Amino acid sequence: MGYVVLHIEKAAGTDAAMSGHVERRIAPANVITTLTYLNEELVEFPKGVTNRTEAIQHRLDNAGLERKIGKNQVRALRVMLSGSPEDMKRIRQAGQLNAWAKDSCGWLQKTFGKENVVSAVLHLDEKTPHIHATVVPITRGERRKAKLEREKNARSGKRTYRTKKDRPRLCADDVMARDKLKAYQTTYAEAMAKYGLRRGVEGSEAKHISTQQYYREVFVRKNEIAEQVENLKEQRQTLTVDIAALQAQREAVRSELTQPRREIKTDKLKGVAVDATTKAVERIGALFHDPKPARYEKQIADLRDAIEGKDKDIKSLQREIATIQAGHDKEVADLKQEAQQVIKALMRVDDLCPYVKGLLKWENYCKNVGLDKEGTRALFTMQPYRYTGELHSIRYNHTFRANDIVLQLKPDKDGPSGFRFTINGKDGDEWFKQQRKEFYQKIGIDIEGTKSLGKRM
């Protein structure tokens, strides 16, 4: 039984950098870009909002806040939801990933308020599936600091007055109070118990780091180790030169020791053996009393020990680099294997259901027309779908009101991507054209007449 992963942190400013990561406009090294299309938006943006940054501002603009937002005030909270890697893999293989994502999103909306959860994206292009959610910390009721102050005054007997205001306010500190953070871990674990996930150990000193931080630290550590190896190699080269110099000095000393012997032999031949012997004894005595040879031998031995120690350090660091590289290579291999499995599965789906690829292209069309996810899902069943609401024409750049019309997406080998979009049994473009004509007639403009006049002129 694994553990839930719930991490909440305050965002700075508009949090544009995180928006780039969540929306994959900025892709870190551990992302498999060929799988990015599997990522899914779990929260639908309001009309006119196209991205996470705009969604944060839209919530702030429409929350009814009375106080002006401070320059350094926290506008959003980053929430990351996941589980132990092996358990998330098990959940995915069991086909429970969509249910897990739906329940996780439901917990977010229940805990922080549905309108405050402005974005939630399921990432499936990394090794472990996870959700990046964005919460605008808007709350109601008495401020936490004011409540604590009032309770303190009550204990001391000082008279206090409680405010009657219960208006929305932006306050990340209240949302992220210590007792609430503990409660979030508990309630999320309870919601995830059905998937075999439990709460982490309360009071644990373990610290969460993001995936980006993990790879950044590995990269920095690897560079530091490589730099240390280069420094040790330079030191070893310097020590080798020092040893060569000391060996040369030692040879010079040895040559001085052999010099008296040659002088003794020469003096004997000249018949001055006594003087030569005396002179040789003096020089030999001076050499034997000179500590240089012994000092050179000790320095050479010390330098060799130092080189041996540096070599051991280099080998140790190289083993550490190899371990880090092996771990990284294994993660990359696992991700590639998982990507290949997904691609094979998609290829099988494409062989069995060739129309699926075409439907993916029609998803954007449905979104641009103005259909929500539920309407798009109903349309993709190929069955007639009754609809009342607004429909937007991309061709005419105009939105028309539709009352109890029948929409249907029909297979058509000659249509765009193998389908044709119909309204009340006719081509959708014809319906939009008729609606446009009726709209201009209501305001007294005859489009057909205007076109004919233009041709005569």
Side-chain angles (χ1 to χ4, degrees):
M1 190 171 185
Y3 297 99
V4 296
V5 174
L6 169 61
H7 180 63
I8 308 175
E9 63 181 359
K10 297 177 181 179
T14 59
D15 204 23
M18 191 62 184
S19 293
H21 170 81
V22 171
E23 297 165 359
R24 289 298 186 250
R25 287 181 282 104
I26 301 173
N30 61 311
V31 168
I32 307 174
T33 54
T34 55
L35 300 181
T36 298
Y37 74 96
L38 294 175
N39 296 347
E40 183 180 355
E41 287 276 0
L42 303 177
V43 174
E44 189 172 354
F45 292 142
K47 187 174 181 180
V49 175
T50 60
N51 57 53
R52 174 178 177 270
T53 302
E54 291 180 4
I56 294 172
Q57 191 60 46
H58 181 273
R59 175 56 183 151
L60 294 172
D61 293 340
N62 294 274
L65 301 176
E66 294 182 350
R67 291 190 177 186
K68 182 179 179 181
I69 300 175
K71 182 178 180 181
N72 297 323
Q73 194 168 358
V74 176
R75 291 169 167 78
L77 303 177
R78 303 174 182 172
V79 184
M80 201 276 279
L81 303 172
S82 187
S84 304
E86 59 276 7
D87 290 279
M88 293 306 298
K89 184 177 181 180
R90 169 180 55 78
I91 291 171
R92 189 174 193 174
Q93 291 175 343
Q96 296 179 310
L97 194 58
N98 287 337
W100 171 84
K102 182 178 180 181
D103 289 342
S104 294
C105 199
W107 175 83
L108 282 168
Q109 294 176 342
K110 180 180 178 182
T111 303
F112 300 103
K114 183 176 181 180
E115 64 282 359
N116 291 333
V117 182
V118 299
S119 172
V121 179
L122 174 62
H123 278 175
L124 298 176
D125 56 356
E126 298 181 46
K127 184 177 181 181
T128 303
H130 58 276
I131 294 173
H132 281 292
T134 305
V135 174
V136 178
I138 293 176
T139 185
R140 288 178 175 271
E142 189 176 16
R143 291 182 177 273
R144 181 170 171 270
K145 291 182 179 180
K147 182 179 179 181
L148 294 175
E149 184 67 23
R150 180 173 54 78
E151 292 175 351
K152 178 181 178 181
N153 292 338
R155 287 194 297 269
S156 63
K158 185 177 180 180
R159 189 174 183 180
T160 58
Y161 298 91
R162 183 174 182 176
T163 178
K164 296 182 179 180
K165 291 184 178 180
D166 185 21
R167 297 172 181 173
R169 54 191 176 81
L170 182 66
C171 187
D173 289 340
D174 280 9
V175 176
M176 294 189 66
R178 184 179 294 273
D179 56 336
K180 290 186 177 181
L181 290 175
K182 290 183 178 180
Y184 299 153
Q185 297 287 344
T186 300
T187 57
Y188 183 56
E190 292 172 352
M192 295 293 105
K194 66 170 89 172
Y195 301 104
L197 299 174
R198 59 179 174 174
R199 192 192 194 283
V201 179
E202 188 170 354
S204 171
E205 295 182 357
K207 299 294 184 181
H208 168 85
I209 63 171
S210 63
T211 304
Q212 298 94 325
Q213 180 66 19
Y214 166 73
Y215 281 106
R216 183 160 53 248
E217 291 180 0
V218 169
F219 179 77
V220 171
R221 177 57 179 159
K222 186 176 180 180
N223 286 344
E224 288 178 349
I225 292 174
E227 186 177 350
Q228 291 178 20
V229 169
E230 292 301 321
N231 289 336
L232 288 173
K233 287 181 178 179
E234 291 178 3
Q235 293 178 23
R236 183 175 62 179
Q237 184 176 1
T238 302
L239 292 173
T240 302
V241 173
D242 292 343
I243 287 176
L246 288 172
Q247 287 176 337
Q249 294 178 13
R250 183 177 61 182
E251 292 300 323
V253 171
R254 285 177 177 174
S255 65
E256 290 183 7
L257 289 173
T258 59
Q259 182 67 21
R261 297 174 186 171
R262 290 195 299 270
E263 290 182 358
I264 290 173
K265 185 177 179 181
T266 302
D267 291 340
K268 282 182 177 179
L269 292 173
K270 293 180 179 180
V272 287
V274 177
D275 293 337
T277 302
T278 303
K279 186 177 180 181
V281 169
E282 290 176 353
R283 293 191 64 180
I284 291 172
L287 289 171
F288 276 108
H289 285 88
D290 188 353
K292 286 184 180 180
R295 185 168 73 250
Y296 293 152
E297 293 288 348
K298 185 177 184 307
Q299 289 181 5
I300 291 172
D302 291 342
L303 290 172
R304 282 177 175 167
D305 290 341
I307 288 178
E308 185 177 352
K310 299 296 183 183
D311 287 339
K312 289 181 180 180
D313 291 341
I314 290 173
K315 289 179 180 179
S316 176
L317 292 171
Q318 288 175 337
R319 284 195 297 270
E320 187 174 351
I321 289 177
T323 301
I324 292 174
Q325 187 64 42
H328 179 71
D329 292 343
K330 185 178 182 302
E331 288 190 3
V332 172
D334 291 344
L335 289 172
K336 287 183 178 179
Q337 183 179 3
E338 188 174 348
Q340 291 174 355
Q341 293 174 353
V342 173
I343 291 172
K344 288 180 181 179
L346 291 174
M347 291 175 66
R348 290 198 299 271
V349 170
D350 191 39
D351 290 338
L352 297 173
C353 307
Y355 61 84
V356 171
K357 186 182 294 184
L359 285 177
L360 292 176
K361 296 181 180 179
W362 275 92
E363 181 183 6
N364 285 334
Y365 178 82
C366 294
K367 184 177 180 181
N368 292 332
V369 166
L371 295 179
D372 56 13
K373 285 187 178 180
E374 182 180 352
T376 302
R377 193 177 294 112
L379 203 63
F380 281 10
T381 63
M382 308 298 162
Q383 299 298 318
Y385 169 58
R386 288 195 171 276
Y387 176 77
T388 297
E390 293 183 341
L391 290 179
H392 182 75
S393 170
I394 302 172
R395 180 178 180 181
Y396 300 121
N397 193 24
H398 192 85
T399 301
F400 302 99
R401 180 68 186 177
N403 294 314
D404 194 26
I405 61 175
V406 177
L407 308 179
Q408 190 172 4
L409 195 63
K410 299 179 179 180
D412 184 349
K413 64 179 182 179
D414 296 327
S417 301
F419 294 91
R420 187 166 299 280
F421 177 64
T422 66
I423 302 177
N424 293 333
K426 297 182 180 180
D427 189 274
D429 286 342
E430 290 296 325
W431 185 86
F432 280 120
K433 183 177 181 181
Q434 181 63 29
Q435 294 298 312
R436 178 172 177 265
K437 180 179 179 181
E438 293 176 0
F439 171 77
Y440 279 106
Q441 285 177 348
K442 288 179 181 179
I443 61 176
I445 298 176
D446 183 3
I447 299 178
E448 298 297 332
T450 302
K451 289 182 178 179
S452 300
L453 180 61
K455 288 180 180 178
R456 289 196 299 268
M457 293 176 65

